[in-house]
Short mmCIF file of all heavy atoms in Angstrom, two decimals:
data_model
loop_
_atom_site.label_atom_id
_atom_site.label_comp_id
_atom_site.label_asym_id
_atom_site.label_seq_id
_atom_site.Cartn_x
_atom_site.Cartn_y
_atom_site.Cartn_z
N MET Y 1 90.12 92.32 107.13
CA MET Y 1 89.45 91.58 108.20
C MET Y 1 90.44 91.18 109.30
O MET Y 1 90.11 91.25 110.49
CB MET Y 1 88.77 90.32 107.65
CG MET Y 1 88.10 89.51 108.75
SD MET Y 1 87.40 87.96 108.21
CE MET Y 1 85.91 88.52 107.44
N SER Y 3 93.13 92.76 110.21
CA SER Y 3 93.44 93.96 111.00
C SER Y 3 92.30 94.33 111.93
O SER Y 3 92.53 94.70 113.09
CB SER Y 3 93.70 95.16 110.08
OG SER Y 3 94.88 94.98 109.38
N ARG Y 6 92.09 91.88 114.75
CA ARG Y 6 93.20 92.10 115.70
C ARG Y 6 92.80 93.03 116.84
O ARG Y 6 93.28 92.90 117.96
CB ARG Y 6 94.40 92.64 114.92
CG ARG Y 6 95.64 92.85 115.74
CD ARG Y 6 96.81 93.26 114.86
NE ARG Y 6 97.87 93.78 115.71
CZ ARG Y 6 97.93 95.03 116.14
NH1 ARG Y 6 97.03 95.92 115.76
NH2 ARG Y 6 98.90 95.41 116.94
N GLN Y 7 91.92 93.97 116.55
CA GLN Y 7 91.45 94.89 117.59
C GLN Y 7 90.70 94.16 118.70
O GLN Y 7 90.54 94.68 119.79
CB GLN Y 7 90.50 95.95 117.00
CG GLN Y 7 91.03 96.71 115.78
CD GLN Y 7 92.26 97.53 116.11
OE1 GLN Y 7 92.32 98.14 117.17
NE2 GLN Y 7 93.24 97.52 115.21
N ALA Y 9 91.58 91.15 119.86
CA ALA Y 9 92.44 90.19 120.56
C ALA Y 9 92.34 90.40 122.08
O ALA Y 9 92.26 91.54 122.55
CB ALA Y 9 93.88 90.34 120.09
N TYR Y 10 92.35 89.28 122.81
CA TYR Y 10 92.30 89.33 124.27
C TYR Y 10 93.71 89.02 124.77
O TYR Y 10 94.14 87.86 124.78
CB TYR Y 10 91.28 88.30 124.78
CG TYR Y 10 91.24 88.18 126.29
CD1 TYR Y 10 90.64 89.19 127.07
CD2 TYR Y 10 91.79 87.09 126.93
CE1 TYR Y 10 90.60 89.08 128.45
CE2 TYR Y 10 91.77 86.97 128.32
CZ TYR Y 10 91.16 87.98 129.07
OH TYR Y 10 91.13 87.87 130.44
N PRO Y 12 95.70 90.35 127.78
CA PRO Y 12 96.07 91.07 129.01
C PRO Y 12 97.46 90.71 129.52
O PRO Y 12 98.02 91.45 130.33
CB PRO Y 12 94.99 90.62 130.01
CG PRO Y 12 94.51 89.31 129.50
CD PRO Y 12 94.62 89.40 128.00
N SER Y 14 100.43 89.37 127.43
CA SER Y 14 101.54 89.76 126.55
C SER Y 14 101.36 91.16 125.98
O SER Y 14 102.34 91.82 125.63
CB SER Y 14 101.68 88.77 125.39
OG SER Y 14 100.64 88.97 124.44
N GLY Y 19 96.05 89.23 114.59
CA GLY Y 19 94.81 89.05 113.82
C GLY Y 19 95.07 88.12 112.65
O GLY Y 19 96.14 88.17 112.03
N HIS Y 23 90.98 82.27 104.52
CA HIS Y 23 90.13 82.26 103.33
C HIS Y 23 89.49 80.90 103.15
O HIS Y 23 90.15 79.86 103.17
CB HIS Y 23 90.96 82.61 102.08
CG HIS Y 23 90.14 82.66 100.83
ND1 HIS Y 23 90.31 81.80 99.79
CD2 HIS Y 23 89.11 83.47 100.48
CE1 HIS Y 23 89.43 82.08 98.83
NE2 HIS Y 23 88.70 83.08 99.22
N GLY Y 25 87.84 78.83 100.53
CA GLY Y 25 87.59 78.69 99.10
C GLY Y 25 86.16 78.22 98.87
O GLY Y 25 85.65 77.40 99.62
N GLY Y 29 82.40 80.55 93.66
CA GLY Y 29 83.07 81.82 93.43
C GLY Y 29 82.82 82.83 94.52
O GLY Y 29 83.16 84.01 94.38
N PHE Y 33 85.74 84.74 104.43
CA PHE Y 33 86.88 84.67 105.35
C PHE Y 33 86.36 84.43 106.76
O PHE Y 33 85.29 84.92 107.12
CB PHE Y 33 87.66 85.98 105.33
CG PHE Y 33 88.39 86.25 104.04
CD1 PHE Y 33 87.73 86.86 102.98
CD2 PHE Y 33 89.72 85.91 103.89
CE1 PHE Y 33 88.40 87.11 101.79
CE2 PHE Y 33 90.40 86.17 102.71
CZ PHE Y 33 89.73 86.77 101.66
N MET Y 34 87.15 83.73 107.53
CA MET Y 34 86.86 83.56 108.96
C MET Y 34 87.96 84.26 109.75
O MET Y 34 89.14 83.97 109.56
CB MET Y 34 86.83 82.07 109.33
CG MET Y 34 86.57 81.81 110.81
SD MET Y 34 84.97 82.44 111.38
CE MET Y 34 83.85 81.25 110.64
N TYR Y 44 98.84 80.25 131.32
CA TYR Y 44 99.39 80.68 130.03
C TYR Y 44 99.24 79.65 128.91
O TYR Y 44 98.99 79.98 127.76
CB TYR Y 44 100.86 81.05 130.18
CG TYR Y 44 101.11 82.37 130.87
CD1 TYR Y 44 100.11 83.03 131.57
CD2 TYR Y 44 102.37 82.95 130.82
CE1 TYR Y 44 100.36 84.23 132.22
CE2 TYR Y 44 102.62 84.17 131.46
CZ TYR Y 44 101.62 84.79 132.16
OH TYR Y 44 101.87 85.98 132.80
N ILE Y 48 95.10 80.48 123.18
CA ILE Y 48 94.95 80.00 121.80
C ILE Y 48 95.40 81.10 120.85
O ILE Y 48 95.04 82.28 121.04
CB ILE Y 48 93.52 79.51 121.49
CG1 ILE Y 48 93.46 78.99 120.05
CG2 ILE Y 48 92.48 80.57 121.74
CD1 ILE Y 48 92.22 78.18 119.72
N ALA Y 54 90.94 80.88 114.32
CA ALA Y 54 90.20 80.98 113.05
C ALA Y 54 89.87 79.59 112.51
O ALA Y 54 88.76 79.36 112.01
CB ALA Y 54 91.02 81.77 112.03
N GLY Y 63 82.53 73.08 108.75
CA GLY Y 63 83.12 71.75 108.63
C GLY Y 63 84.50 71.83 108.02
O GLY Y 63 84.95 72.89 107.56
N THR Y 74 100.34 91.49 112.47
CA THR Y 74 100.86 91.91 113.78
C THR Y 74 101.55 93.26 113.60
O THR Y 74 101.77 93.71 112.47
CB THR Y 74 101.90 90.90 114.34
OG1 THR Y 74 103.05 90.89 113.49
CG2 THR Y 74 101.32 89.51 114.47
N CYS Y 86 101.09 76.28 115.61
CA CYS Y 86 100.11 76.64 114.58
C CYS Y 86 100.50 76.07 113.23
O CYS Y 86 99.63 75.61 112.47
CB CYS Y 86 99.95 78.16 114.50
SG CYS Y 86 99.01 78.83 115.89
N LEU Y 87 101.79 76.08 112.90
CA LEU Y 87 102.22 75.50 111.62
C LEU Y 87 101.83 74.03 111.55
O LEU Y 87 101.36 73.54 110.51
CB LEU Y 87 103.73 75.66 111.43
CG LEU Y 87 104.22 77.09 111.20
CD1 LEU Y 87 105.76 77.11 111.16
CD2 LEU Y 87 103.64 77.68 109.92
N GLN Y 88 102.00 73.31 112.64
CA GLN Y 88 101.64 71.89 112.68
C GLN Y 88 100.14 71.72 112.43
O GLN Y 88 99.71 70.87 111.64
CB GLN Y 88 102.03 71.31 114.04
CG GLN Y 88 101.54 69.90 114.29
CD GLN Y 88 102.25 68.83 113.47
OE1 GLN Y 88 103.37 69.03 113.04
NE2 GLN Y 88 101.59 67.71 113.24
N PRO Y 96 100.18 71.31 102.51
CA PRO Y 96 101.48 71.95 102.29
C PRO Y 96 101.44 73.16 101.36
O PRO Y 96 102.32 74.01 101.42
CB PRO Y 96 102.33 70.83 101.67
CG PRO Y 96 101.35 69.85 101.14
CD PRO Y 96 100.14 69.93 102.01
N ASP Y 104 102.43 93.50 108.27
CA ASP Y 104 102.51 94.42 109.40
C ASP Y 104 101.32 95.38 109.27
O ASP Y 104 100.42 95.15 108.44
CB ASP Y 104 103.87 95.12 109.49
CG ASP Y 104 104.17 95.98 108.27
OD1 ASP Y 104 103.22 96.36 107.53
OD2 ASP Y 104 105.36 96.29 108.05
N PRO Y 126 103.29 54.66 114.71
CA PRO Y 126 102.81 53.29 114.53
C PRO Y 126 101.41 53.10 115.10
O PRO Y 126 101.15 53.48 116.24
CB PRO Y 126 103.84 52.45 115.28
CG PRO Y 126 105.07 53.29 115.32
CD PRO Y 126 104.59 54.71 115.39
N THR Y 131 94.18 60.20 108.74
CA THR Y 131 93.36 61.40 108.93
C THR Y 131 92.89 61.99 107.61
O THR Y 131 92.03 62.85 107.59
CB THR Y 131 94.12 62.48 109.70
OG1 THR Y 131 95.35 62.71 109.05
CG2 THR Y 131 94.35 62.06 111.14
#
Side-chain angles (χ1 to χ4, degrees):
M1 178 185 282
S3 291
R6 183 174 165 276
Q7 308 297 320
Y10 175 74
S14 74
H23 182 244
F33 291 85
M34 178 61 73
Y44 286 14
I48 182 166
T74 65
C86 286
L87 290 175
Q88 172 71 24
D104 62 20
T131 53

